[in-house]
Amino acid sequence: MRRYVPTVLLLLSGAAILRVSLFSELYLRYVQPGLRPFLIASGVLLVVLGTAAGVRTLRAADDDHEHPQDDGHDHGPSGPRVAYLLAVPALALLLFPPPALGSYSADKQAAEYAAQGVGTFDALPKGDPVELTLGEFTSRAIYDSGRSLKGRTVRMTGFVTRADDGDGWYLTRLLVSCCAADASPYKVEIREADAPPADAWVTVTGTWHPEGELGSEEAWPPVLDARSVKRVAEPQNPYEKR
Amino acid sequence: MAPAAALAFLLSAPAVNPVVLVATSVAFPGQPLMVLARLVASLATAVVMGWLWVRFGREEWLRLPKRPSTGAATANRSRWGAFAAGLQHDFLHAGGFLVVGAAAAATFNIVVPRSLLDLFTGSVWLSVLLLAALAVVLCVCSEADAFVAASLTGFSPTARLAFMVVGPMVDLKLIALQAGTFGRAFALRFSAATWVVAVTSSALVGWWLL
């Protein structure tokens, strides 16, 4: 039976990739959206390869029972031993796909400085409340010499992280440039509202609370006076739009 | 191809390419010197490693991978069959080692507290070494590491440069992959030497340009 190990590993890996990329959008927890076609192509290739390997092994078993299967290689018929480890992430993705990164990762890292250098920004779209990403809000709050946020009501969605000291809290969202390994958090301090439990997803509506000189350390992190905080479901893509 | 040229290519391909340089310029807006410094320091590291191999390298360190599917059972196999067999072997082999590297990186990431970083921001030299070590542990891919470097705001530009030069060339997943492909004797020597050369070249280029 051991000669079927490569077949099983290839099929498991392929199925796991297709499960998170083709049959669901779970891949968004692990990589950025643009990588989906590559994931699907890899998954299909692995399934085809696994099927071919299975057929080959089956035929070889029928053809030459006398000769031991020889790969012409220094591994046994079950393939390289280290390949068994591939079963771990494959089974994890198939059976219990790991959740997206949350407050634990956000707390471990320094918040992202959205943009650098004070300057003017394009005008915000008309109509209140205006829907913004945390990155857009942060850039405008800290670097916009035109003060485009002044007098506007904004709405943002993210998860909750708690301040280290006391009972302050932050609306947080992680930015993923390539894959989850490079995730770095955006944080907006929320005032005038009680803290929901950590990791809860919320949509916060409120107004900008200017603090400190533009571009200075005191302006960091930006502050929002909340008017309403609503619990929402985790979005399809849990990471910040780029 | 001579191993020296191949090794220089192995190091420079992920570190010096247009995608990475554009990503760096986006992550460090208004700092074109950072992009130039990354290009120069990475290229210098790759070239110096190639020369070092020509001078000091020994063939026996390098266990070149045997071609799979040369046995009698495969003699009458079609070209597509050989292709599929090669693909299968490489995926299973490299994939297994990739799991080892990823597990090591994830463990370090969780076990080593990030607050440790703040202890070293005061000293210029220690901070360069620290970020160069961090790059090995984090295993961030070269297209994204500039954004991570940009977020390490407490550190000197030279330390951040070292992070971006070391990362694509030496990290835990690469060491695991190289150990699997070329053998442990090679992977340890090569990674250690590359790390030292990359840190030195970052320090020199940082001192010159940044």
Side-chain angles (χ1 to χ4, degrees), chain A residues 36-138:
Chain A
R36 186 176 207 177
F38 301 100
L39 283 176
I40 294 176
S42 317
V44 169
L45 182 66
L46 286 173
V47 169
V48 170
L49 213 54
T51 312
V55 171
R56 219 167 44 230
T57 315
L58 209 60
R59 284 213 192 115
D62 287 346
D63 285 353
D64 45 12
H65 267 293
E66 289 99 82
H67 315 292
Q69 170 95 355
D70 181 17
D71 249 341
H73 199 64
D74 50 357
H75 317 300
S78 55
R81 191 68 58 83
V82 69
Y84 280 78
L85 287 174
L86 275 171
V88 178
L91 287 174
L93 283 181
L94 284 170
L95 301 177
F96 40 91
L101 299 178
S103 65
Y104 177 80
S105 312
D107 284 341
K108 274 180 77 87
Q109 280 162 55
E112 181 93 13
Y113 276 71
Q116 265 145 12
V118 176
T120 52
F121 287 66
D122 294 340
L124 282 173
K126 294 237 179 310
D128 277 346
V130 56
E131 196 92 32
L132 290 180
T133 66
L134 269 70
E136 286 165 348
F137 179 81
T138 306

Side-chain angles (χ1 to χ4, degrees), chain B residues 130-189:
Chain B
L130 185 77
L131 284 201
L134 187 71
V136 176
V137 171
L138 285 188
C139 301
V140 177
C141 77
S142 59
E143 281 105 80
D145 62 0
F147 297 99
V148 177
S151 72
L152 296 166
T153 44
F155 291 90
S156 69
T158 304
R160 296 198 230 170
L161 176 66
F163 179 85
M164 293 190 292
V165 173
V166 170
M169 300 189 177
V170 189
D171 68 29
L172 289 176
K173 72 173 188 312
L174 287 174
I175 296 173
L177 276 175
Q178 289 166 1
T181 315
F182 302 120
R184 208 171 300 156
F186 171 81
L188 292 180
R189 286 185 175 89

